[in-house]
Amino acid sequence: MPTAKAEQAARTRQKVLLAAAEVFDETGYEKASVSQIVQRAGLTLGALYFHFGSKQGLAEALMNAQPTTIEPHLTSTGLQRMVDITLVWADRMKRDPVLRAGVRLATEQGSHGMNDATSFEDWRKLMRGHLGVARSSGELREGVDPDQLARFVVGACTGMQLYSHLATRRADLMERVCDMWDLLLPSVASQAVLHDIHVGPTRVPAR
């Protein structure tokens, strides 16, 4: 059972992380300062450095936090879980600063001296796991490689959100994700489950 001190530390860490997410999302890594972040959080520089060590440590924590903003909302399995991950991701990109900041930092990291594919690889491994379940359950067409499909979806979603952000400030991101699955599912889903996989905003849990 967590002690009161541990619970306070967890709350402080989360406050710093949320404030950093808001600042990074608004300004990007280069223009963000640790003083802005602690001011937004209402905390001290000491708290930031204690929990994250540096501005780069904060950025890495946000990049690697992306799956934890999605997975707790889902109960589906296999191929439907894979679809649902992308749908909830598209929905939350419009309103979750932690997710938006993580995505922005991951895609712009070359501009601030980082070259870390960990966040993309974490998504690939997570999706690969669900696709492994889908293959074991007979949900994938013969010859579909779960790892190859996972890599494709991670890359496709990365590109879609960049395009959507520039074109509509991500207002049409959900539509683009649905289009992707409408095109992709007939090629990867077995006939036994093709018409049972649901795509669309109705798959997003109530807020």
Side-chain angles (χ1 to χ4, degrees):
M1 185 178 220
T3 64
K5 187 174 181 179
E7 289 176 350
Q8 178 61 42
R11 285 194 295 271
T12 298
R13 186 182 190 280
Q14 191 58 33
K15 284 181 71 175
V16 175
L17 199 65
L18 179 57
E22 292 173 351
V23 174
F24 284 138
D25 181 42
E26 292 165 9
T27 69
Y29 183 88
E30 285 299 322
K31 292 182 179 179
S33 69
V34 291
S35 59
Q36 284 177 295
I37 292 168
V38 295
Q39 183 177 13
R40 180 77 60 97
L43 296 167
T44 64
L45 282 171
L48 185 152
Y49 290 125
F50 174 80
H51 287 284
F52 298 100
S54 66
K55 178 177 158 181
Q56 183 171 321
L58 260 173
E60 290 171 352
L62 284 164
M63 287 192 290
N64 296 329
Q66 294 176 58
T68 63
T69 70
I70 306 295
E71 285 277 83
H73 300 276
L74 303 175
T75 58
S76 50
T77 60
L79 187 53
Q80 184 68 67
R81 176 82 163 214
M82 177 84 163
V83 172
D84 289 348
I85 286 171
T86 63
L87 296 173
V88 173
W89 168 82
D91 177 69
R92 295 190 69 83
M93 279 290 286
K94 295 182 289 187
R95 56 194 177 85
D96 186 337
V98 172
L99 181 59
R100 282 199 308 272
V103 168
R104 177 171 184 172
L105 289 163
T107 55
E108 295 181 356
Q109 60 181 299
S111 67
H112 47 84
M114 295 176 65
N115 185 29
D116 184 356
T118 300
S119 60
F120 298 101
E121 285 297 293
D122 285 348
W123 275 121
R124 181 190 62 78
K125 291 173 186 176
L126 184 151
M127 292 183 178
R128 169 64 179 82
H130 294 309
L131 287 169
V133 172
R135 183 171 63 178
S136 299
S137 303
E139 296 179 3
L140 298 181
R141 282 182 177 271
E142 189 71 26
V144 173
D145 181 338
D147 197 58
Q148 184 181 43
L149 180 55
R151 288 198 308 269
F152 173 81
V153 172
V154 172
C157 287
T158 300
M160 277 191 297
Q161 74 84 21
L162 286 170
Y163 187 2
S164 177
H165 178 59
L166 291 171
T168 67
R169 303 295 293 179
R170 300 193 183 99
D172 68 348
L173 183 56
M174 177 67 74
E175 179 183 353
R176 291 171 187 255
V177 170
C178 292
D179 286 347
M180 176 187 74
W181 286 116
D182 286 342
L183 292 167
L184 193 58
L185 280 173
S187 299
V188 301
S190 67
Q191 287 298 316
V193 302
L194 178 58
H195 299 295
D196 296 325
I197 303 297
H198 301 288
V199 177
T202 56
R203 296 296 305 174
V204 176
R207 299 178 187 182

